Amino acid sequence: MRLASAGRRLALAIALPALSVGTVDARAGGRPGDFDFYVLSLSWSPTYCRSRGERADPTQCSTGARAFVMHGLWPQYARGFPSDCRTTGRNPTRAQVDSMLEIMPSPGLVRHEWRTHGTCSGLDPASYFALARAANAKVTIPPAFQTADRDLDTSPGDVERAFIAVNPRLQPSMIAVQCDGGLVSEVRICMTPDLAFRPCAEIDRRACRSSRVTLPSIDQQ
């Protein structure tokens, strides 16, 4: 039995006081709230900007662009994931979208993530975004990856170990580094609906297999 209800309770509790997944095939039109766990995807922004070139979102790649940014919080099945679920609720308001720009790079990405993934969470926009902010806040970015003022040559294993070192309870089976042409593109971290770190074999199997990778600097976008 899937456990999205616990995630709904947590998101509502948080809310009241105040880049496509690419893992395995999506199941468009899944049932909102029917999933097994979440993937928190953190994108290395300079890789996106370099690989997309003129097609990149200028908001994300302008002066002052960041290093790791939140790509999204994705409901997942043990194999595969739901996508673009049909809901009867309203789309996010401009204020709700703007509330995410502290951790996500552009309004266009925020809206895309809601349409593709948020609609499958079983949550309304305000609660989903509150849960996404809580998931993002749960993960500490290693000091070496908090800026992107120079190229960093490393390995996928070293990136994982750096995250594990500063995030208690995170284990190798719960995190996967993604790469694109030898450049680190994302770090994906698996969480329960209550945002506890959890293993995810399918995500781990699709991790970067390069022996050496680079986190490019902002200056080379």
Side-chain angles (χ1 to χ4, degrees), residues 131-144:
L131 187 68
R133 287 193 295 272
N136 186 74
K138 186 178 179 68
V139 176
T140 299
I141 304 298

Side-chain angles (χ1 to χ4, degrees), residues 60-78:
Q60 180 167 344
C61 302
S62 61
T63 301
R66 290 165 281 183
F68 272 114
V69 296
M70 181 174 173
H71 184 168
L73 184 67
W74 305 333
Q76 300 278 302
Y77 303 132

Side-chain angles (χ1 to χ4, degrees), residues 41-191:
S41 175
L42 303 172
S43 291
W44 185 255
S45 188
T47 295
Y48 162 80
C49 296
R50 180 189 290 192
S51 63
R52 296 296 295 271
E54 294 182 355
R55 296 177 292 114
D57 184 333
T59 306
Q60 180 167 344
C61 302
S62 61
T63 301
R66 290 165 281 183
F68 272 114
V69 296
M70 181 174 173
H71 184 168
L73 184 67
W74 305 333
Q76 300 278 302
Y77 303 132
R79 293 186 61 84
F81 59 94
S83 174
D84 300 280
C85 297
R86 296 184 63 180
T87 64
T88 58
R90 295 182 178 180
N91 288 324
T93 65
R94 179 173 179 176
Q96 289 168 339
V97 170
D98 288 348
S99 73
M100 295 300 292
L101 297 182
E102 182 178 356
I103 59 174
M104 297 180 73
S106 73
L109 177 62
V110 176
R111 294 189 182 96
H112 169 80
E113 290 299 300
W114 165 255
R115 288 193 305 270
T116 307
H117 305 291
T119 54
C120 299
S121 68
L123 304 171
D124 61 81
S127 299
Y128 173 71
F129 291 150
L131 187 68
R133 287 193 295 272
N136 186 74
K138 186 178 179 68
V139 176
T140 299
I141 304 298
F145 307 142
Q146 291 181 6
T147 61
D149 55 359
R150 60 186 178 87
D151 281 5
L152 297 174
D153 295 318
T154 184
S155 70
D158 285 342
V159 174
E160 287 193 8
R161 284 186 284 274
F163 271 85
I164 291 168
V166 296
N167 288 280
R169 302 183 185 278
L170 187 61
Q171 299 177 13
S173 61
M174 304 171 179
I175 179 173
V177 175
Q178 302 292 313
C179 58
D180 180 8
L183 304 179
V184 171
S185 56
E186 294 187 346
V187 169
R188 295 174 178 171
I189 297 173
C190 300
M191 298 179 170

